[in-house]
Amino acid sequence: MDSLKLASWNINSVRFRLAIVERFLAEESPDILCLQETKVEDSSFPAAAFAALGYPHVLLNGQRMHHGVAIISRVPLTADMRHDWQDNGEARHLGVRLPNGVRLENVYVPAGGDVPDRELNPKFGQKLDFIARMTRWSETVDAPTIMVGDFNIAPLESDVWSHKQLLDVVSHTPIEVEALTRLQDAHGWVDLGRRFIPAPARYYSWWSYRARDWAASDRGRRLDHMWASPDLAATAVAHRVHEPCRGWEKPSDHVPLVTEFRF
């Protein structure tokens, strides 16, 4: 592989939103698409639809009605791996190896509930523990690796529509940002999105369904990320956030990220 066009998207039910995934693949034509929150068991995943579009290689870690990740590819993939960083059997990770030896990790971090206190809200503690397990794993990574997915944390002030108003809102609290920083430092991960869209530029990938007009209110957050090992990050040549997808019919509340690499 001399090049790679890689996309990542929390689709919030792949079967319900299959039409916009097909549209995105037809218009953007990535080599690989990583999906999160597929919400479907492996046996019911619509693999035939992707094969018809030229994506015959599909690796899955699904779960009925909840969670789930998938990697859809034009190129062969090997070393199918699943880490249970939630430590409860939820389908939140899928790892593969590309033909050139690069590792690709697709991750769906728990949202963490509504209250940023592990004593009052066990889901928040589970989120922090998930990230801690990812951090310990990152310390052992010894191969060029790309890690993508819905991390459910917007770390920077310019990653949210209002830093001041969201400081106590799960996804932008200091304790989550500190945990994500420790994860990034554990391997020296390079945040590819912010390499191409440096702070303090606005950068969002999620807008709530609660907004009557998501574009007009623009109360977004950057919950989705693409990271790479330090040496591998230098091979990234372009990065885009596909905001128009948020306005498509039956949209996900997330939009796709795309990074292009020249190896």
Side-chain angles (χ1 to χ4, degrees):
M1 294 180 66
D2 296 326
S3 64
L4 172 69
K5 190 174 187 180
L6 173 66
S8 178
W9 194 0
N10 178 320
I11 195 57
N12 191 15
S13 179
V14 65
R15 289 188 295 179
F16 183 72
R17 306 187 206 285
L18 181 59
I20 63 171
V21 180
E22 291 174 324
R23 176 180 172 182
F24 172 75
L25 291 175
E27 293 183 4
E28 186 62 26
S29 193
D31 298 303
I32 298 176
L33 171 62
C34 294
L35 294 173
Q36 304 89 40
E37 205 172 356
T38 54
K39 294 184 176 179
V40 61
E41 291 178 318
D42 294 352
S43 60
S44 299
F45 189 89
F50 295 108
L53 289 172
Y55 294 85
H57 307 286
V58 177
L59 292 176
L60 306 170
N61 185 11
Q63 192 167 352
R64 183 174 179 267
M65 297 176 64
H66 298 284
H67 324 305
V69 289
I71 300 179
I72 299 152
S73 177
R74 285 175 167 159
V75 299
L77 304 171
T78 57
D80 182 356
M81 295 174 58
R82 297 165 175 80
H83 291 302
D84 185 10
W85 286 317
Q86 181 82 340
D87 197 28
N88 65 356
E90 291 181 357
R92 292 184 175 274
H93 168 263
L94 183 59
V96 299
R97 191 178 300 277
L98 307 185
N100 63 356
V102 169
R103 291 285 313 172
L104 174 61
E105 312 291 342
N106 183 16
V107 186
Y108 177 35
V109 174
D114 297 324
V115 180
D117 185 314
R118 70 160 60 237
E119 300 301 324
L120 299 176
N121 173 22
K123 290 183 178 180
F124 189 69
Q126 290 171 353
K127 179 179 188 176
L128 297 177
D129 292 343
F130 185 105
I131 296 169
R133 292 186 182 99
M134 284 182 67
T135 301
R136 292 193 291 272
W137 164 82
S138 289
E139 293 170 349
T140 70
V141 172
D142 58 2
T145 302
I146 304 167
M147 183 163 65
V148 306
D150 177 3
F151 294 2
N152 263 311
I153 299 175
L156 305 182
E157 292 187 18
S158 50
D159 289 341
V160 295
W161 65 272
S162 173
H163 170 64
K164 183 176 180 181
Q165 295 184 64
L166 293 177
L167 273 173
D168 295 325
V169 175
V170 173
S171 77
H172 190 60
T173 64
I175 187 172
E176 293 169 278
V177 172
E178 291 167 6
L180 193 69
T181 299
R182 287 193 293 271
L183 170 59
Q184 187 171 6
D185 291 345
H187 179 62
W189 295 107
V190 175
D191 180 346
L192 297 174
R194 282 303 185 186
R195 179 171 171 237
F196 288 92
I197 309 173
R202 165 195 172 283
Y203 182 174
Y204 308 151
S205 66
W206 174 92
W207 294 260
S208 173
Y209 286 128
R210 297 176 183 175
R212 290 186 178 180
D213 188 331
W214 70 274
S217 61
D218 198 29
R219 294 192 170 192
R221 307 178 205 174
R222 181 172 75 116
L223 303 181
D224 304 273
H225 298 261
M226 288 182 146
W227 291 2
S229 296
D231 293 343
L232 192 60
T235 67
V237 296
H239 177 84
R240 292 181 298 282
V241 184
H242 287 259
E243 289 193 22
C245 295
R246 183 62 178 81
W248 289 359
E249 186 177 359
K250 296 181 180 178
S252 172
D253 44 0
H254 297 253
V255 298
L257 307 180
V258 176
T259 299
E260 296 183 44
F261 298 85
R262 297 288 183 270
F263 299 117

